[in-house]
Amino acid sequence: MARNKFDIDEDLESPFDIKHFRRAYVYIKQHKKPMIISLVLSALSAAIALTAPLIMQHVVDVTIPAKDASALVGWSALMLVTIIVSVYLATIRSRIMTRVGQDVIFEIRTDLFKHLQQLPFKYYDDRPQGKILIRVVNYVNSVSDVLSNGIINFILEIINLIFIAAFMFAVNVQLSLIILAGLPVFLAIMLLIKTRQRRAWQSVSNKSSNLNAYLQESISGIRVTQIFSREQHNAGTFSRLSGNYRQVWMRAMIFNNLVPFSVDNLATMVTMLIYLVGLLALDPVNVTFGVILAMSSYAARFWQPILNLSNLYNNFINAVAYLERIFETLDEPVTVSDVPDARELPSVKGNVTFDNVTFAYDPGINILENLMFDIKAGQSIALVGPTGAGKTTVVNLISRFYNLTDGKILIDGHDISQVTLRSLRSQMGIMLQDSFIFSGTIMDNIRYGKLDATEEEIIAAAKTVCADEFIREFEHGYLTEVNERGSKLSQGQRQLISFARTLLADPRILILDEATSSIDAKTERLLQQGLNELLKGRTSFIIAHRLSTIKNCDRIMYVNNKGIAESGSHDELIARRGLYYRLYTAQRMEA
């Protein structure tokens, strides 16, 4: 399925089953002690509150007829104490569970983030960023209360029902049976709507994800939107997605509201039956007005836990849709990872060998087939060719951002699939075409790849790539704060800072993917002087569309038709008058 679109619903990879809640228990069991304390406090609060109807019955049947004012004051004071104690215990319990809920949010979100950090490029190629973000933020928030307060409240409401039933039957058995008569009707309603309710909230999850994905995409591309005056069209798309969300939300709320609506009406009918049967059908000697008043109070109290349980059920159904998405993300396989017996890659010289390498992003559609070449340490290699031929794929495979379909890649004779990713990538300097700048200072951005770098090393790296001059022109120099993606910097400045970041890591293998595409010709000439010194003794792979920048490379490889169509030095390829010659000649004519 083409999932990398904001307007396509994401079908679940696997249906929900009880194992999800068994997995969720891992987060809950770490907080068993405060949850047990909360449960005890809640039970005590509920039990104390249930004495109020008995006090009320005694006052109506005994104290008031006896006109005992002092006893009335005493009983009133006792009822006030029960209310205060009950509220106090409930407040303590609420504070404890608020802390537990936030701890659960922290732990789930941390696990999600750590897993996302390990997932391969392929995962991010297939999904809009907004659909990933909503799982880490919104969905975790939605399930945390169910995993903490929800469990406590569920147990508590069951205990409440048992206590209330015991008090009811102690007062009057016949009227208690009338109260229980509404339960079969309620259970029938719940069975009828539960499947459709879950599907409705899955739809809400989908439409919310779509809306979030489009919003994130629109914010990231706001400059392009305004350049092409797409504001009105984009507003229409957002309105359509928002309307879809509103539609499915309203449908889900119909099912949600049906439950409390049913409970309220059943409770009202049961209360009416208590008064009707109590006053007209039962023995007035045994069923006093105080008894009827107490039973009507217990009826309201009995159906309140039922209503609370139904609300918990609603929350459970909602959380199921979100919990499925969370665990689906956690279950995404980390396909590019260390093998069980992976070893550390020792310090390398930089010999690189492609041994019969075949690679496909999607099964059956090969980008590279049976690719073979051997690069000696210290050589500079240029990769040229038409767009989409696989140049960036080649350098991504050297860094093992993707797993090979077939064959192997060796560095100094070591199969890179058998060494740890950290030891492999720590010896590589990679500058991608998209120069990403993080929020923070310029110095922090340059230091990103080498956290222990000194200020002198950072400045030296910046000078090598000709970034020092423009950095010092800022009021705060290297301590200048930049926004995410470096919105305050020009594209060329962002690339130079990224270049300094890459060079500071002192890599043995250097990969430059269109690294100078946004630098003016004058700056590029200055930069080339520094690079000539830097590239000495390092193996380098350079992808550049401006062929004038790679004329001095030791070898130029023309990538086409799933392999290397031509390979040689600039002079050799020009003399051959093949694909590279035609490409170079065409560029000179355009210039």
Side-chain angles (χ1 to χ4, degrees):
M1 182 180 74
R3 299 197 295 185
N4 196 19
K5 291 190 67 179
F6 59 79
D7 57 351
I8 294 180
D9 293 343
E10 293 184 293
D11 292 331
L12 285 170
E13 304 292 341
S14 59
F16 175 82
D17 57 46
I18 196 63
K19 73 179 182 182
H20 289 100
F21 274 93
R22 287 200 295 268
R23 291 178 63 179
Y25 179 70
V26 172
Y27 298 99
I28 299 168
K29 70 179 182 181
Q30 301 177 49
H31 308 282
K32 284 193 296 186
K33 183 177 179 180
M35 292 179 75
I36 291 172
I37 293 173
S38 295
L39 182 60
V40 172
L41 291 175
S42 298
L44 287 173
S45 175
I48 292 171
L50 286 173
T51 61
L54 292 178
I55 295 173
M56 183 172 59
Q57 177 194 348
H58 181 81
V59 168
V60 171
D61 287 344
V62 178
T63 305
I64 292 178
K67 299 181 179 180
D68 189 344
S70 60
L72 180 61
V73 172
W75 286 114
S76 299
L78 180 60
M79 180 174 284
L80 180 61
V81 170
T82 63
I83 294 172
I84 292 173
V85 172
S86 178
V87 170
Y88 178 72
L89 294 176
T91 301
I92 296 175
R93 175 258 187 191
S94 178
R95 290 179 179 176
I96 293 173
M97 291 313 301
T98 297
R99 187 178 297 109
V100 169
Q102 287 302 309
D103 288 343
V104 170
I105 287 178
F106 173 81
E107 290 154 9
I108 296 177
R109 190 168 287 150
T110 299
D111 286 350
L112 269 174
F113 183 78
K114 287 180 179 178
H115 190 68
L116 288 170
Q117 295 283 291
Q118 297 175 333
L119 290 177
F121 284 6
K122 183 68 169 62
Y123 177 80
Y124 298 96
D125 293 341
D126 288 347
R127 290 164 179 81
Q129 294 178 14
K131 292 193 176 185
I132 300 172
L133 292 175
I134 197 171
R135 298 186 181 204
V136 180
V137 181
N138 300 51
Y139 291 177
V140 173
N141 287 342
S142 298
V143 304
S144 65
D145 194 56
V146 172
L147 296 182
S148 54
N149 273 311
I151 295 174
I152 294 294
N153 288 337
F154 178 80
I155 298 172
L156 174 63
E157 298 304 346
I158 295 296
I159 293 173
N160 276 345
L161 282 175
I162 295 172
F163 282 174
I164 293 169
F167 276 87
M168 285 192 316
F169 278 95
V171 174
N172 188 278
V173 175
Q174 295 97 324
L175 294 179
S176 297
L177 293 175
I178 292 174
I179 295 173
L180 295 178
L183 276 179
V185 179
F186 173 75
L187 293 175
I189 293 172
M190 296 296 290
L191 289 173
L192 283 173
I193 69 170
K194 68 172 186 176
T195 301
R196 282 179 286 182
Q197 189 177 14
R198 181 190 173 208
R199 290 174 181 170
W201 281 105
Q202 283 180 339
S203 295
V204 171
S205 172
N206 281 331
K207 302 309 180 186
S208 175
S209 180
N210 294 348
L211 185 64
N212 196 72
Y214 186 70
L215 180 61
Q216 191 277 333
E217 179 182 292
S218 298
I219 292 173
S220 298
I222 190 64
R223 288 177 174 81
V224 178
T225 295
Q226 294 184 2
I227 288 170
F228 289 96
S229 300
R230 286 263 304 194
E231 294 92 340
Q232 187 172 354
H233 180 87
N234 288 5
T237 302
F238 184 83
S239 179
R240 174 171 58 84
L241 293 171
S242 186
N244 291 341
Y245 175 77
R246 177 182 179 276
Q247 183 179 358
V248 297
W249 172 268
M250 294 300 293
R251 175 175 170 77
M253 289 308 296
I254 289 173
F255 292 110
N256 262 31
N257 292 332
L258 183 61
V259 176
F261 173 79
S262 303
V263 171
D264 287 342
N265 282 278
L266 285 171
T268 300
M269 287 187 285
V270 166
T271 302
M272 290 172 58
L273 283 174
I274 289 173
Y275 281 102
L276 184 64
V277 174
L279 292 174
L280 301 179
L282 297 181
D283 182 5
V285 175
N286 296 321
V287 183
T288 63
F289 182 70
V291 169
I292 295 175
L293 197 60
M295 291 303 294
S296 64
S297 177
Y298 280 128
R301 290 171 181 267
F302 178 82
W303 282 97
Q304 186 59 48
I306 298 293
L307 178 59
N308 293 342
L309 285 170
S310 67
N311 289 332
L312 287 172
Y313 176 78
N314 282 339
N315 293 336
F316 168 81
I317 291 297
N318 303 351
V320 164
Y322 300 133
L323 201 59
E324 289 167 326
R325 302 295 187 188
I326 291 171
F327 284 124
E328 183 191 42
T329 303
L330 287 172
D331 287 339
E332 281 289 336
V334 182
T335 55
V336 180
S337 61
D338 295 341
V339 296
D341 56 347
R343 59 186 182 276
E344 292 289 314
L345 179 66
S347 181
V348 300
K349 297 178 180 178
N351 298 295
V352 179
T353 301
F354 272 55
D355 185 3
N356 207 32
V357 169
T358 296
F359 174 75
Y361 289 104
D362 298 305
I365 307 176
N366 290 340
I367 303 298
L368 302 172
E369 285 185 354
N370 305 316
L371 182 60
M372 300 187 69
F373 61 76
D374 187 68
I375 307 300
K376 301 301 181 184
Q379 286 188 320
S380 57
I381 308 300
L383 299 173
V384 301
T387 301
K391 303 183 294 296
T392 299
T393 299
V394 171
V395 295
N396 281 340
L397 294 180
I398 296 173
S399 308
R400 204 182 160 214
F401 290 134
Y402 300 88
N403 288 326
L404 301 180
T405 304
D406 196 12
K408 57 185 177 180
I409 298 174
L410 307 174
I411 295 181
D412 285 4
H414 300 280
D415 186 345
I416 65 171
S417 67
Q418 302 301 310
V419 302
T420 64
L421 290 173
R422 184 175 182 84
S423 65
L424 169 67
R425 294 174 184 169
S426 65
Q427 300 192 60
M428 293 189 174
I430 305 169
M431 183 171 174
L432 303 175
Q433 186 173 1
D434 181 16
S435 303
F436 193 93
I437 299 297
F438 296 89
S439 58
T441 66
I442 293 176
M443 184 170 288
D444 289 337
N445 270 277
I446 297 176
R447 186 185 276 129
Y448 190 85
K450 187 181 179 183
L451 297 179
D452 59 348
T454 65
E455 184 175 337
E456 290 74 19
E457 290 174 324
I458 292 170
I459 294 173
K463 286 181 177 178
T464 301
V465 300
C466 306
D468 179 73
E469 183 177 349
F470 84 79
I471 292 174
R472 292 188 183 277
E473 290 178 355
F474 290 117
E475 181 180 357
H476 300 292
Y478 284 84
L479 299 180
T480 300
E481 292 282 343
V482 291
N483 297 331
E484 180 185 339
R485 295 188 175 274
S487 59
K488 294 182 179 179
L489 304 170
S490 70
Q491 178 63 23
Q493 290 172 335
R494 291 198 294 270
Q495 282 195 303
L496 289 176
I497 290 173
S498 298
F499 222 150
R501 177 170 59 201
T502 302
L503 301 185
L504 182 63
D506 192 24
R508 303 311 306 162
I509 299 175
L510 189 62
I511 295 173
L512 310 177
D513 187 350
E514 286 296 319
T516 60
S517 61
S518 297
I519 299 175
D520 59 78
K522 178 183 177 181
T523 303
E524 187 175 17
R525 285 194 297 271
L526 294 173
L527 176 61
Q528 195 66 46
Q529 296 173 13
L531 286 178
N532 290 338
E533 292 299 319
L534 178 72
L535 296 178
K536 288 181 180 179
R538 290 182 172 86
T539 306
S540 59
F541 291 85
I542 304 169
I543 299 175
H545 285 103
R546 292 211 299 262
L547 302 184
S548 60
T549 63
I550 48 94
K551 288 173 58 177
N552 296 326
C553 288
D554 295 316
R555 191 193 307 184
I556 298 172
M557 297 193 298
Y558 192 101
V559 183
N560 197 25
N561 294 326
K562 304 178 183 179
I564 305 299
E566 291 181 347
S567 178
S569 68
H570 172 76
D571 292 337
E572 290 171 346
L573 294 178
I574 291 296
R576 192 176 299 174
R577 291 180 171 267
L579 295 171
Y580 176 78
Y581 171 80
R582 290 196 288 272
L583 182 62
Y584 183 76
T585 303
Q587 278 199 11
R588 292 193 63 184
M589 292 178 63
E590 291 174 1

